[in-house]
Structure formats: structure tokens, C-alpha cells
């Protein structure tokens, strides 16, 4: 029996978003303190991961 | 019309060129933006008698994304300028409709083709998605700023898990947009340190005695003015904490009061008399000493988004060292110069 392949873009976007949510939760609970300086590399990493997943999806 | 632009666009998108011409005329009448768009299309779009390239799915998506960005930029630059002056709100509404069309094209893959009814329906779906995401963003921003950040973060995590599940069951990719609409405002609130607790609006505090001066003044969003000129501050240190989530805070003191200050600004500026600093993640430290018989106000400011300033007069908002209309430069002259 052959299973359908998962949507890689949604998969990566979901994982990244969940991880992002965990970081934000840590900030809201006071465990870490976010600033724009630390948020900017994180945002670039999120966008880069989604673009990478999108590119890999198109190659298939 | 000149250059066969309408015919070229109509052929490319598979819609009646008459509709395109009507759109251009409407935009031209609504502030002249149609003329600018038409001029750009004249350079970029194949002429009516040329063969337009066959759109493929990646090309469609890239074009939709480009159109979306272009509509937003044009809408802000042109629609916000003379577009509003001549066309009222109809011009920007036209751009919103076009942006909705591009959004729906981007997230669903359904091109803006077919009958006018189909095009209108897809534009409405896109606008609805934009409006929904905007409402989610606003709700997320205020919920996060008012102390509900933990709940919003939990929703973001749940949304991420939902997207992962959708990846296996064949969910729609447009779900990413509302998930981001919730996450990004929370990220902004967290990065700026915005705390909207403390109320909204304009507030003026004019204590008359030292006993009436509070340790901490707090405002969620708006303008907070703390006028201490009626307070006869004795010699020594007087700590004062000012916290504002978003907006403008101003502390006014007599000229015989020395002011030492520290402030954390998420995004905005701090101006202590003739010294200022602005930008993002501003960490301000200005340690001043006072002579033995001079009172010293020790200000601890925290602003998420906005401006905090200290001055001797209630004047206009700070615009640089020489901001006073009468040309006088305010200085922290009561402090000891070292």
C-alpha cells in the first residue's frame, strides 16, 4: 500500500511556526527576553526555511 | 487605447479586454493612478498582437506575488497621496480589490480568469482572507499586549501543529496566512516589550505636593504628561518610573531639578532635554550627579513603541536638539558638570 507524500511546504511551515510559538511562549513566561535584535535573525531563518521547503517541493 | 495594453492583459489573463479598459479608465478618474499603472504596463506587458507566454504554475505564483507587492506599494504611495485627494476612498478600495485577487491567486492557484462573476467572487474571497487576517492580527496584538501573550503563543503552537497535520491530510496552504497573522503581532509585541496594561487615551498628571507624586506612572497607549513643576522637590534623589506601551510620555520638571535617566525603548526614541537617541532596542543610560542642595529626579522609563521625553516646558513633541519654536535649547543644567 502506497501512502501519499505529505505536503512538504505545510510540514516545514507548521514545524517552524510551532517552534516559533515555543520561543514566544518562553518570552511571555519570562524565561527569555526577546528583542528586535534577536528576533530579526529568527525571522530570516523562518522565511528561509519556508522558501527552502517551497523550492524543494517544486523540484519534485 | 494606446499600445494594445488592455488587449495584451486581457489575452494573457483570459478576460475580456473591455473589462481591463474599464478598469484603467476608472483608476484614471480616481486620482490618476490608472495612468501610472497603464504607463508601467505599456513597458512591461506584451502588445496585443504579440504572443504572450503561456503561464505555468510557478510563473503564475511569482506573478501573483509580484502583483500583490506592487498593488500594496502603489496603493500606499499613490493612493495615499493624490489618489485620496481626487478619488476619495474609491481608489484605495480598487487597489484592495486587486490585492484580494492577487492573494486568492497566490493561495489557491485560481487565476483571475473566467466570467466577471467568477473574477469578482475570487476577488471577494481574497479580500475576505485579507480582512480576516487583519482582524486576527489586531486581536493578536491587543491580546498579547494586554497580558494574554501566553494564550496567544499557545494558539501559535497549536496552529503550527495543525499545519503539520494538514500536511498529511492534504490541507489547504492558505491556512499559513491566518497562522502568521496571529504569530507576527505577538512577535512584534514581544520584541518591542509592549505592555498595553494601564489604559488608553490622554492623561495629564499634575501633582501639587511631593506626597502626590506616584512611584510609577503607567499608560497602555496614548499620551501621558507628568508635570512636576508644581512640586517643590527637596534635595536628594527622587525615583520615578514611567511605563507606556505605545505612545508618548513627557515629564516636565523645573530648571533647578537635575535629571538622571535610564530608558528601554523597543521601537522609538528617548529625548532628555538636548540629548536624544532613537531606533530599535534603544537602551538609554544618562547618569548625572547633582550637587548637595539640588534635587535629582532618577527617571526609569520603559516604552514599547513611541517616545519618552523630559523637558522644562510643555511644548511640541521633540524634533531634535533645537526643537523649541523660540530657538532656545533646553539643557539639563541643574546637574553637576564633570
Amino acid at each position: 500500500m502506497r501512502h501519499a507524500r505529505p505536503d512538504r511546504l505545510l510540514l516545514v511551515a507548521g514545524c517552524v511556526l510551532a517552534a516559533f510559538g515555543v520561543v514566544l511562549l518562553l518570552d511571555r513566561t519570562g524565561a527569555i527576553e526577546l528583542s528586535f535584535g534577536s528576533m530579526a535573525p529568527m525571522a530570516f531563518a523562518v522565511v528561509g526555511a519556508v522558501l527552502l521547503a517551497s523550492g524543494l517541493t517544486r523540484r519534485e | 487605447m494606446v499600445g494594445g495594453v488592455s488587449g495584451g492583459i486581457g489575452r494573457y489573463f483570459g478576460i475580456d479586454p473591455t473589462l481591463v479598459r474599464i478598469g484603467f479608465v476608472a483608476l484614471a478618474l480616481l486620482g490618476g493612478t490608472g495612468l501610472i499603472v497603464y504607463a508601467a504596463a505599456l513597458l512591461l506587458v506584451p502588445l496585443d498582437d504579440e504572443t504572450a507566454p503561456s503561464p505555468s504554475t510557478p510563473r503564475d505564483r511569482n506573478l501573483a506575488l509580484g502583483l500583490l507587492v506592487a498593488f500594496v506599494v502603489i496603493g500606499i504611495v499613490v493612493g495615499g497621496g493624490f489618489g485620496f485627494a481626487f478619488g476619495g476612498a474609491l481608489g484605495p478600495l480598487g487597489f484592495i480589490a486587486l490585492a484580494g485577487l492577487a492573494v486568492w491567486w497566490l493561495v489557491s492557484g485560481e487565476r483571475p480568469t473566467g466570467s466577471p462573476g467568477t473574477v469578482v467572487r475570487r476577488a471577494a474571497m481574497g479580500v475576505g482572507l485579507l480582512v480576516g487576517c487583519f482582524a486576527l492580527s489586531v486581536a493578536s496584538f491587543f491580546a498579547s499586549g494586554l497580558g494574554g501573550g501566553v494564550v496567544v503563543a499557545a494558539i501559535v503552537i497549536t496552529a503550527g501543529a495543525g499545519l503539520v497535520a494538514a500536511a498529511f491530510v492534504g490541507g489547504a496552504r492558505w491556512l499559513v496566512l491566518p497562522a502568521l497573522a496571529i504569530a507576527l503581532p505577538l512577535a512584534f509585541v514581544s520584541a518591542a516589550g509592549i505592555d498595553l496594561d494601564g489604559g488608553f487615551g490622554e492623561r495629564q498628571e499634575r501633582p501639587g505636593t511631593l506626597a502626590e507624586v506616584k512611584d510609577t506612572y503607567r499608560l497602555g497607549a496614548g499620551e501621558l504628561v507628568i508635570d512636576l513643576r508644581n512640586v517643590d522637590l527637596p534635595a536628594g534623589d527622587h525615583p520615578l518610573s514611567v511605563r507606556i506601551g505605545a505612545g508618548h510620555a513627557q515629564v516636565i520638571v523645573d530648571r533647578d531639578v537635575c535629571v538622571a535617566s535610564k530608558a528601554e525603548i523597543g521601537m522609538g526614541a528617548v529625548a532628555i532635554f538636548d540629548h536624544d537617541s532613537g531606533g530599535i532596542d534603544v537602551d538609554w543610560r544618562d547618569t548625572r550627579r547633582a550637587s548637595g542642595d539640588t534635587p535629582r529626579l532618577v527617571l526609569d522609563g520603559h516604552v514599547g513603541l513611541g517616545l519618552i521625553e523630559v523637558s522644562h516646558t510643555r511644548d511640541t513633541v521633540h524634533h531634535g536638539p533645537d526643537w523649541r519654536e523660540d530657538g532656545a535649547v533646553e539643557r539639563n543644567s541643574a546637574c553637576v558638570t564633570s
Side-chain angles (χ1 to χ4, degrees):
Chain A
M1 183 178 173
R2 186 172 180 273
H3 294 281
R5 292 173 68 91
D7 186 330
R8 192 172 291 177
L9 179 60
L10 274 178
L11 188 62
V12 171
C15 290
V16 165
L17 198 67
F20 196 43
V22 171
V23 173
L24 294 173
L25 184 65
L26 290 174
D27 173 79
R28 292 289 94 182
T29 54
I32 60 174
E33 189 170 341
L34 290 177
S35 64
F36 282 107
S38 57
M39 190 69 80
M42 212 180 307
F44 281 120
V46 168
V47 173
V50 174
L51 287 177
L52 193 63
S54 177
L56 290 175
T57 303
R58 283 178 188 170
R59 279 178 173 273
E60 291 174 346
Chain B
M1 291 178 79
V2 180
V5 168
S6 299
I9 291 177
R11 177 173 297 178
Y12 184 82
F13 292 115
I15 57 178
D16 189 343
T18 305
L19 291 175
V20 183
R21 292 192 183 99
I22 292 172
F24 274 127
V25 170
L27 285 175
L29 294 175
L30 296 173
T33 53
L35 298 176
I36 297 173
V37 176
Y38 193 90
L42 194 59
L43 298 173
L44 299 174
V45 175
L47 298 180
D48 192 13
D49 54 355
E50 290 181 5
T51 302
S54 298
S56 60
T57 299
R59 180 190 173 87
D60 282 353
R61 290 184 176 276
N62 291 336
L63 185 58
L65 187 60
L67 281 173
L68 177 61
V69 173
F71 287 145
V72 170
V73 171
I74 292 173
I76 292 172
V77 174
V78 181
F82 61 85
F84 268 121
F86 291 96
L90 292 179
L93 285 178
F95 281 109
I96 290 173
L98 291 173
L101 209 53
V103 163
W104 190 250
W105 188 5
L106 183 67
V107 298
S108 72
E110 294 179 350
R111 293 192 301 155
T113 57
S115 65
T118 303
V119 174
V120 169
R121 183 183 62 81
R122 290 174 180 170
M125 299 284 276
V127 171
L129 188 58
L130 280 176
V131 171
C133 288
F134 178 73
L136 278 177
S137 297
V138 172
S140 173
F141 178 83
F142 281 99
S144 304
L146 288 169
V150 172
V151 175
V152 178
I155 292 174
V156 172
I157 295 171
T158 306
L163 288 178
V164 171
F168 289 95
V169 298
R173 289 185 170 181
W174 63 268
L175 291 170
V176 176
L177 279 181
L180 286 176
I182 297 172
L184 293 180
L186 171 60
F188 184 80
V189 168
S190 295
I194 295 175
D195 182 2
L196 296 177
D197 193 21
F200 297 84
E202 293 185 11
R203 187 179 303 164
Q204 299 205 4
E205 301 277 357
R206 288 196 182 86
T209 64
L210 183 60
E212 293 176 5
V213 179
K214 302 174 187 171
D215 293 334
T216 301
Y217 289 90
R218 184 186 293 272
L219 183 67
E223 184 180 48
L224 172 63
V225 178
I226 305 162
D227 189 346
L228 300 177
R229 288 176 295 182
N230 295 327
V231 180
D232 187 16
L233 292 173
D237 284 352
H238 304 279
L240 181 73
S241 176
V242 178
R243 300 186 175 275
I244 183 166
H248 173 214
Q250 183 177 23
V251 180
I252 309 173
V253 296
D254 264 337
R255 295 182 187 279
D256 62 352
V257 176
C258 170
V259 177
S261 56
K262 67 173 183 176
E264 292 180 355
I265 316 291
M267 179 181 287
V270 54
I272 310 297
F273 302 112
D274 56 340
H275 289 67
D276 59 17
S277 179
I280 59 173
D281 294 338
V282 177
D283 189 8
W284 171 272
R285 295 284 185 279
D286 187 21
T287 306
R288 305 275 179 137
R289 290 186 298 111
S291 61
D293 57 348
T294 302
R296 186 176 79 147
L297 185 71
V298 183
L299 175 67
D300 179 12
H302 186 101
V303 179
L305 177 67
L307 165 71
I308 183 169
E309 62 178 326
V310 179
S311 62
H312 293 310
T313 59
R314 176 85 170 103
D315 211 322
T316 56
V317 177
H318 183 88
H319 292 296
D322 300 315
W323 56 289
R324 288 278 302 280
E325 289 182 357
D326 58 7
V329 177
E330 296 206 349
R331 299 189 188 283
N332 205 354
S333 53
C335 297
V336 175
T337 55
S338 55

